[in-house]
Amino acid sequence: MYLYTPDEIDRERAHHQAVIQGAGDLDVKRIGNLGELAFEQFCREYLPVEMWEWENEEAVRRCNPESFSGHDFEVFGYEIDVKTSRDVSAFRPANLLENDPDDDIIVMVWHRDNEDALILLGWERTETLESKVKTQEAYSGEEPEKLAHLAARPMNELHDIGPNTAHLNQKPENPFSSGDRVAKNGDGDGSVAVVVEVLPPEKNTTAYGQEMDGEAVNVAFPNMLDDGPGNWREIHPAKLASYCDDQNIKLYTYKHTNLEYPENPFTPGDYVIKPDYEDPDLAVVLEVTGDSDEDREISIAFCKHLEEEWGEQPYVLPADLRSRCDEAGIKSYSYDYDELSFEHQF
């Protein structure tokens, strides 16, 4: 058995994809998505990457509707469906067959009540399930009330149905995650970008028509995100890929080793606080100036002052914030970038 612990990005994507899918039962669809994420991580760890395919990978990553494929994965040419349940009785042979008789293999994933951990219990061929059900009906009669048969072959036996190949860890190596601020390596004057999605290693073979030796990261630049219809800073980073896809916001692909975390990650429109204050007020960045030793780099205005002037929850395009504040006589304050920290509003 294998334990999978979803992170915050996984949880948000699993839920939002269920919303976009229009699922009748969001809880069931969300946990089903998490089960697929769990099996995808197992495949990446133990199976040759060129011999399996996740049908819903892009739909979940970008929170788009699925194409209603009859199965979730194809592994070694077998069609595999992932069944996720809190109720282990769902993994009895007859129950599995009743719900999904058409796929070659069924993978069983159990989850905790609060969905903070999922366990890959095992897998079974559908034809084996059919045989077990027939045998039980013909010879076994009713099972003892306190002892029910559950179908499951150990997960590590799944690779035995494929060719004898080396099993390599194919998990992404890059350190970045959606929402991270990045800049091009060694470019002191380079623009700060936002990580929108981290591509799986097998998806990054080319960028701009060129073969890429390494893993790719898709980024967007804040000024382009600002041109979208909403305040993207109030969107959870897990949903940025969905937002950019929906709004046709251009993404740029970089090899992850060509990116680094910038010293000064702030851009106009960012929500910040001064963390050394005991009860810091929320502020918004108005302007980011050059790195002159004599000037503080970041100009901010406090949100409470904006609300006093423009009403509650005002949103002004970041490019207009400086001029709008000057016109309204709203006072601004300057700080060094290392005096401030993000106070995200998603």
Short mmCIF file of all heavy atoms in Angstrom, two decimals, residues 265-288:
data_model
loop_
_atom_site.label_atom_id
_atom_site.label_comp_id
_atom_site.label_asym_id
_atom_site.label_seq_id
_atom_site.Cartn_x
_atom_site.Cartn_y
_atom_site.Cartn_z
N PRO A 265 10.57 40.62 -5.04
CA PRO A 265 9.53 39.96 -5.82
C PRO A 265 8.28 40.80 -6.06
O PRO A 265 7.34 40.35 -6.71
CB PRO A 265 9.17 38.76 -4.93
CG PRO A 265 9.36 39.30 -3.54
CD PRO A 265 10.51 40.27 -3.62
N PHE A 266 8.25 42.04 -5.55
CA PHE A 266 7.01 42.80 -5.53
C PHE A 266 6.76 43.54 -6.84
O PHE A 266 7.68 44.00 -7.52
CB PHE A 266 7.01 43.80 -4.37
CG PHE A 266 7.19 43.14 -3.03
CD1 PHE A 266 8.36 43.29 -2.32
CD2 PHE A 266 6.17 42.36 -2.49
CE1 PHE A 266 8.53 42.67 -1.09
CE2 PHE A 266 6.32 41.75 -1.27
CZ PHE A 266 7.51 41.90 -0.56
N THR A 267 5.47 43.66 -7.17
CA THR A 267 5.03 44.43 -8.34
C THR A 267 3.81 45.24 -7.93
O THR A 267 3.12 44.90 -6.96
CB THR A 267 4.67 43.51 -9.52
OG1 THR A 267 3.61 42.63 -9.13
CG2 THR A 267 5.87 42.67 -9.95
N PRO A 268 3.49 46.33 -8.66
CA PRO A 268 2.31 47.14 -8.32
C PRO A 268 1.04 46.28 -8.27
O PRO A 268 0.80 45.45 -9.13
CB PRO A 268 2.25 48.16 -9.45
CG PRO A 268 3.67 48.32 -9.87
CD PRO A 268 4.27 46.94 -9.76
N GLY A 269 0.26 46.51 -7.22
CA GLY A 269 -0.97 45.75 -7.03
C GLY A 269 -0.86 44.66 -5.99
O GLY A 269 -1.88 44.13 -5.52
N ASP A 270 0.37 44.29 -5.60
CA ASP A 270 0.55 43.24 -4.60
C ASP A 270 0.07 43.71 -3.23
O ASP A 270 0.23 44.89 -2.86
CB ASP A 270 2.03 42.85 -4.48
CG ASP A 270 2.54 42.08 -5.68
OD1 ASP A 270 1.70 41.50 -6.40
OD2 ASP A 270 3.77 42.05 -5.90
N TYR A 271 -0.50 42.78 -2.48
CA TYR A 271 -0.91 43.06 -1.11
C TYR A 271 0.24 42.70 -0.16
O TYR A 271 0.79 41.59 -0.25
CB TYR A 271 -2.15 42.26 -0.75
CG TYR A 271 -3.37 42.63 -1.56
CD1 TYR A 271 -3.82 41.83 -2.62
CD2 TYR A 271 -4.08 43.80 -1.27
CE1 TYR A 271 -4.93 42.18 -3.35
CE2 TYR A 271 -5.20 44.15 -2.01
CZ TYR A 271 -5.62 43.35 -3.05
OH TYR A 271 -6.72 43.70 -3.78
N VAL A 272 0.57 43.63 0.72
CA VAL A 272 1.74 43.44 1.59
C VAL A 272 1.43 43.93 3.00
O VAL A 272 0.46 44.67 3.23
CB VAL A 272 2.98 44.19 1.05
CG1 VAL A 272 3.42 43.62 -0.30
CG2 VAL A 272 2.70 45.69 0.93
N ILE A 273 2.28 43.50 3.91
CA ILE A 273 2.28 44.04 5.27
C ILE A 273 3.73 44.27 5.70
O ILE A 273 4.67 43.78 5.06
CB ILE A 273 1.62 43.07 6.28
CG1 ILE A 273 2.35 41.72 6.29
CG2 ILE A 273 0.14 42.91 6.00
CD1 ILE A 273 1.93 40.80 7.41
N LYS A 274 3.88 45.04 6.75
CA LYS A 274 5.20 45.20 7.38
C LYS A 274 5.20 44.28 8.60
O LYS A 274 4.62 44.60 9.64
CB LYS A 274 5.43 46.65 7.78
CG LYS A 274 6.91 46.99 8.05
CD LYS A 274 7.11 48.48 8.13
CE LYS A 274 8.60 48.81 8.25
NZ LYS A 274 9.22 48.25 9.47
N PRO A 275 5.82 43.11 8.48
CA PRO A 275 5.60 42.05 9.48
C PRO A 275 6.18 42.34 10.86
O PRO A 275 5.80 41.68 11.82
CB PRO A 275 6.28 40.83 8.85
CG PRO A 275 7.28 41.39 7.90
CD PRO A 275 6.70 42.66 7.39
N ASP A 276 7.06 43.32 10.97
CA ASP A 276 7.62 43.57 12.30
C ASP A 276 6.68 44.42 13.16
O ASP A 276 6.94 44.63 14.35
CB ASP A 276 9.00 44.21 12.21
CG ASP A 276 9.01 45.53 11.44
OD1 ASP A 276 7.97 45.87 10.85
OD2 ASP A 276 10.05 46.20 11.42
N TYR A 277 5.58 44.90 12.59
CA TYR A 277 4.56 45.57 13.39
C TYR A 277 3.73 44.52 14.13
O TYR A 277 3.51 43.42 13.62
CB TYR A 277 3.62 46.41 12.53
CG TYR A 277 4.26 47.66 11.96
CD1 TYR A 277 3.59 48.43 11.00
CD2 TYR A 277 5.52 48.10 12.36
CE1 TYR A 277 4.16 49.58 10.47
CE2 TYR A 277 6.09 49.24 11.84
CZ TYR A 277 5.42 49.97 10.89
OH TYR A 277 5.97 51.11 10.37
N GLU A 278 3.26 44.86 15.31
CA GLU A 278 2.51 43.89 16.12
C GLU A 278 1.18 43.54 15.46
O GLU A 278 0.77 42.38 15.44
CB GLU A 278 2.27 44.47 17.53
CG GLU A 278 1.56 43.49 18.44
CD GLU A 278 1.44 44.03 19.86
OE1 GLU A 278 2.23 44.91 20.23
OE2 GLU A 278 0.54 43.55 20.59
N ASP A 279 0.49 44.53 14.90
CA ASP A 279 -0.78 44.29 14.22
C ASP A 279 -0.76 45.07 12.91
O ASP A 279 -1.39 46.12 12.78
CB ASP A 279 -1.94 44.75 15.11
CG ASP A 279 -3.30 44.41 14.50
OD1 ASP A 279 -3.34 43.54 13.60
OD2 ASP A 279 -4.30 45.02 14.91
N PRO A 280 -0.04 44.55 11.91
CA PRO A 280 0.20 45.34 10.70
C PRO A 280 -1.06 45.53 9.87
O PRO A 280 -1.90 44.64 9.75
CB PRO A 280 1.23 44.49 9.94
CG PRO A 280 1.02 43.10 10.42
CD PRO A 280 0.60 43.23 11.86
N ASP A 281 -1.19 46.73 9.31
CA ASP A 281 -2.30 47.03 8.40
C ASP A 281 -1.97 46.53 7.01
O ASP A 281 -0.80 46.54 6.57
CB ASP A 281 -2.55 48.54 8.35
CG ASP A 281 -3.17 49.06 9.64
OD1 ASP A 281 -3.97 48.33 10.24
OD2 ASP A 281 -2.83 50.20 10.05
N LEU A 282 -3.01 46.10 6.30
CA LEU A 282 -2.84 45.64 4.93
C LEU A 282 -2.57 46.84 4.03
O LEU A 282 -3.20 47.89 4.15
CB LEU A 282 -4.10 44.91 4.47
CG LEU A 282 -4.08 44.30 3.06
CD1 LEU A 282 -3.07 43.16 2.98
CD2 LEU A 282 -5.47 43.80 2.68
N ALA A 283 -1.62 46.67 3.11
CA ALA A 283 -1.27 47.73 2.17
C ALA A 283 -1.20 47.16 0.76
O ALA A 283 -1.16 45.94 0.57
CB ALA A 283 0.06 48.37 2.56
N VAL A 284 -1.19 48.04 -0.23
CA VAL A 284 -1.06 47.63 -1.62
C VAL A 284 0.14 48.37 -2.21
O VAL A 284 0.37 49.55 -1.92
CB VAL A 284 -2.35 47.91 -2.42
CG1 VAL A 284 -2.66 49.39 -2.49
CG2 VAL A 284 -2.26 47.32 -3.81
N VAL A 285 0.91 47.68 -3.02
CA VAL A 285 2.09 48.28 -3.66
C VAL A 285 1.64 49.20 -4.79
O VAL A 285 0.87 48.80 -5.68
CB VAL A 285 3.03 47.18 -4.21
CG1 VAL A 285 4.18 47.81 -4.99
CG2 VAL A 285 3.56 46.32 -3.08
N LEU A 286 2.13 50.44 -4.74
CA LEU A 286 1.82 51.42 -5.78
C LEU A 286 2.88 51.44 -6.87
O LEU A 286 2.57 51.60 -8.05
CB LEU A 286 1.71 52.82 -5.18
CG LEU A 286 0.71 53.04 -4.05
CD1 LEU A 286 0.74 54.50 -3.61
CD2 LEU A 286 -0.68 52.64 -4.49
N GLU A 287 4.12 51.29 -6.44
CA GLU A 287 5.22 51.49 -7.38
C GLU A 287 6.45 50.75 -6.89
O GLU A 287 6.69 50.65 -5.69
CB GLU A 287 5.50 53.00 -7.50
CG GLU A 287 6.42 53.39 -8.62
CD GLU A 287 6.53 54.90 -8.74
OE1 GLU A 287 6.32 55.61 -7.72
OE2 GLU A 287 6.82 55.38 -9.85
N VAL A 288 7.21 50.22 -7.84
CA VAL A 288 8.50 49.59 -7.54
C VAL A 288 9.53 50.36 -8.35
O VAL A 288 9.49 50.35 -9.59
CB VAL A 288 8.50 48.10 -7.92
CG1 VAL A 288 9.86 47.49 -7.62
CG2 VAL A 288 7.41 47.36 -7.17
#
